């Protein structure tokens, strides 16, 4: 297994667990028992990867870049957005907050954060967005080697721009 693929798997395995296995993803819409949501379409260089515990995860082969989206609608006890962001940082060391701001997303306030950190000694840049809507917590993550992060940040923006959520019926 290449070092890049190993890094990608390590990065994605540290993202939060959604706890739900019955789901579908079609036409940029993810549906699972307690929630249904749409994300913006990604360019073809992103490939969907299947990892236990992730609603959606995508990687760009050979670069160490990864995107993920997760929704948790039960058992989250309604913590504030900064606490939810700290949960996404579990497993990362030498964390340095670069920026953090409240941004609008899907008609709500979301917290967007950028960090530089290390995972198993490997430097990464993290772009994290957390949102609470309709009793669900949504988190969006973009992870990349720092020197490569800016080149695909627009893809992450597009994923966020297309986000819409609704409770499952």
């Amino acid at each position: 297994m290449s070092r890049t693929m190993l890094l990608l798997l390590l990065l994605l395995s540290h993202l939060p667990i959604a706890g739900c296995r019955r789901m579908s993803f079609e036409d940029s819409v993810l549906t699972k028992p307690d929630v249904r949501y749409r994300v913006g379409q990604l360019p073809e260089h992103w490939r969907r990867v299947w990892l236990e515990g992730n609603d959606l995860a995508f990687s760009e082969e050979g670069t160490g870049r990864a995107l993920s989206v997760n929704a948790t609608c039960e058992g989250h006890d309604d913590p504030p957005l900064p606490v939810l962001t700290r949960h996404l940082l579990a497993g990362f060391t030498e964390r340095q907050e670069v920026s953090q701001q409240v941004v609008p997303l899907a008609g709500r306030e979301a917290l967007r954060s950028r960090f530089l950190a290390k995972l198993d000694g490997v430097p990464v840049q993290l772009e994290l967005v957390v949102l609470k809507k309709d009793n669900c917590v949504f988190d969006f993550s973009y992870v990349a080697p720092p020197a490569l992060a800016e080149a695909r940040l627009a893809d992450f923006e597009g994923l966020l721009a297309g986000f819409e959520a609704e409770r499952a019926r």
Side-chain angles (χ1 to χ4, degrees):
M1 182 179 297
S2 73
R3 177 182 160 101
T4 302
M5 184 54 81
L6 181 59
L7 174 61
L8 174 64
L9 291 174
L10 285 170
L11 291 171
L12 291 174
S13 70
H14 281 77
L15 298 174
I17 294 174
C20 198
R21 295 179 188 216
R22 294 177 302 158
M23 68 178 111
S24 66
F25 184 61
E26 191 174 322
D27 297 326
S28 298
V29 176
L30 184 125
T31 304
K32 60 184 190 177
D34 50 359
V35 70
R36 173 184 163 101
Y37 61 89
R38 174 180 301 280
V39 294
Q41 199 162 18
L42 290 170
E44 290 184 18
H45 51 261
W46 290 100
R47 299 284 179 239
R48 184 155 183 220
V49 292
W50 301 92
L51 292 174
E52 184 73 28
N54 286 279
D55 284 358
L56 296 171
F58 302 89
S59 70
E60 185 184 35
E61 189 172 331
T63 66
R65 294 182 186 114
L67 294 164
S68 75
V69 182
N70 290 293
T72 304
C73 299
E74 295 179 5
H76 53 77
D77 297 327
D78 198 30
L81 296 175
V83 170
L84 294 167
T85 299
R86 282 194 296 275
H87 287 298
L88 295 177
L89 294 168
F92 293 94
T93 59
E94 299 183 37
R95 299 180 295 240
Q96 299 173 352
E97 182 181 307
V98 175
S99 63
Q100 192 167 72
Q101 61 184 336
V102 174
V103 297
L105 182 61
R108 297 287 173 92
E109 288 186 346
L111 185 62
R112 183 170 182 152
S113 307
R114 179 175 292 179
F115 287 86
L116 295 174
K118 289 187 177 179
L119 180 62
D120 297 332
V122 178
V124 293
Q125 180 173 314
L126 303 156
E127 195 79 21
L128 308 171
V129 177
V130 292
L131 166 74
K132 294 190 295 186
K133 184 174 176 79
D134 300 329
N135 297 317
C136 294
V137 172
F138 296 90
D139 59 77
F140 307 82
S141 302
Y142 171 54
V143 182
L148 300 178
E150 289 299 320
R152 296 287 187 243
L153 192 56
D155 297 348
F156 184 64
E157 301 294 346
L159 182 93
L160 290 169
F163 176 75
E164 297 175 28
E166 61 184 59
R167 290 292 283 186
R169 293 181 175 87

